[in-house]
Amino acid sequence: RFSMESEARYMRRKVKAGKIEADPDECALLVHYEVEATVLGELGEPMLAEREQKTQKIKLKTLGADSNIARLAEEIVEKCKLIPETKIGQVELLIRELQQRELRGDRRGGKEKKKKGDKRGESKGEGESKGEEAETPTLDKLESYVEAMYDGTEAATQATSMLLQLSRSPENLETLISNETLVGLLARLLKEEAKRSMDLSINILYIVYAFSSFSQFHPSLA
């Protein structure tokens, strides 16, 4: 069985707010932020850390000539926890910028950009027909993922990436954790390959974290 207690006690998640700007193509604000997830060991020491840049889009569907900009800025800051109150002035200025752009009908997006997007879509379609489409994980392929985990670090990393995506859906967890071969492999790979591949280690630890979120699975992790 997987020794959850000895490998990773819990996770720490930090969110750091970043730049706020007007969306160049839509009537919306873009709030950039960074998420840092750290896996802590049983003594509270950091084992692995992963940073990811993210963006939240706030669409302003009712923005018009008569909109109360100051009130709208207040509502956005109240609802979006990523924007501190000290930024309300900046939010108001950005909303005014969007308002003026909407009234002028001046957006960077348009037919030309749409055509370029269509071309990109066509190119992607051609790539997909050649087998370049990203694989969608499915429980039907669970055994093939398990088999791939025996084929070296790179194959195991790809396989655990598929399993991680599956583990994000609660309805898949019981099937995954009831596969004793899979659970044993995860424990072995984390112990033997952790120093060779951080990506593999992160995949496994996040899978275990998904399991640990539900108390009924704790006995299988003990």
Side-chain angles (χ1 to χ4, degrees):
R1 290 296 182 184
F2 208 109
S3 180
M4 173 65 182
E5 297 297 330
S6 63
E7 296 297 348
R9 182 71 67 173
Y10 59 94
M11 276 186 157
R12 181 176 62 201
R13 186 173 180 268
K14 289 184 179 179
V15 178
K16 182 179 179 182
K19 181 180 179 182
I20 308 170
E21 61 181 344
D23 190 303
D25 305 316
E26 295 184 50
C27 186
L29 296 177
L30 298 177
V31 183
H32 303 281
Y33 62 102
E34 180 184 82
V35 177
E36 179 181 305
T38 305
V39 179
L40 305 178
E42 60 179 325
L43 299 179
E45 75 281 8
M47 293 175 63
L48 291 171
E50 184 181 51
R51 289 185 176 88
E52 186 175 1
Q53 302 298 324
K54 293 179 173 290
T55 301
Q56 179 177 340
K57 179 182 289 188
I58 303 173
K59 294 185 178 181
L60 307 179
K61 298 179 181 179
T62 59
L63 186 61
D66 300 326
S67 296
N68 186 331
I69 303 299
R71 180 55 190 154
L72 185 55
E74 289 178 5
E75 290 177 357
I76 289 174
V77 172
E78 286 174 5
K79 293 178 180 179
C80 182
K81 303 302 182 183
L82 295 168
I83 305 177
E85 291 185 7
T86 54
K87 297 283 187 179
I88 192 168
Q90 181 185 355
V91 172
E92 187 171 335
L93 287 173
L94 289 170
I95 295 173
R96 291 188 186 280
E97 177 186 329
L98 288 169
Q99 182 189 48
Q100 293 302 312
R101 194 177 72 187
E102 288 296 300
L103 294 175
R104 294 193 308 266
D106 178 20
R107 264 185 219 182
R108 196 175 74 182
K111 291 183 179 180
E112 183 178 350
K113 180 163 186 175
K114 188 175 180 182
K115 287 179 181 178
K116 290 181 180 179
D118 290 342
K119 288 181 180 179
R120 284 197 299 270
E122 289 170 5
S123 298
K124 184 178 179 182
E126 291 172 4
E128 289 174 357
S129 66
K130 295 177 182 178
E132 295 179 4
E133 182 181 2
E135 180 182 350
T136 300
T138 170
L139 286 176
D140 293 336
K141 297 182 179 179
L142 178 56
E143 291 306 319
S144 66
Y145 300 149
V146 172
E147 290 175 7
M149 292 166 67
Y150 290 100
D151 295 335
T153 302
E154 185 175 346
T157 301
Q158 179 61 31
T160 52
S161 175
M162 296 292 104
L163 293 168
L164 175 57
Q165 293 179 63
L166 288 173
S167 72
R168 287 171 177 158
S169 297
E171 62 269 19
N172 294 333
L173 293 177
E174 186 171 358
T175 299
L176 292 174
I177 204 166
S178 63
N179 189 312
E180 294 188 2
T181 302
L182 169 60
V183 175
L185 267 174
L186 290 173
R188 182 176 67 80
L189 286 172
L190 183 59
K191 182 178 180 180
E192 298 178 0
E193 304 290 336
K195 295 181 180 180
R196 300 179 189 176
S197 173
M198 178 170 286
D199 288 339
L200 177 58
S201 300
I202 289 173
N203 287 348
I204 295 173
L205 287 170
Y206 272 108
I207 292 169
V208 174
Y209 183 68
F211 290 149
S212 68
S213 299
F214 296 87
S215 59
Q216 65 265 38
F217 298 136
H218 287 185
S220 298
L221 298 172

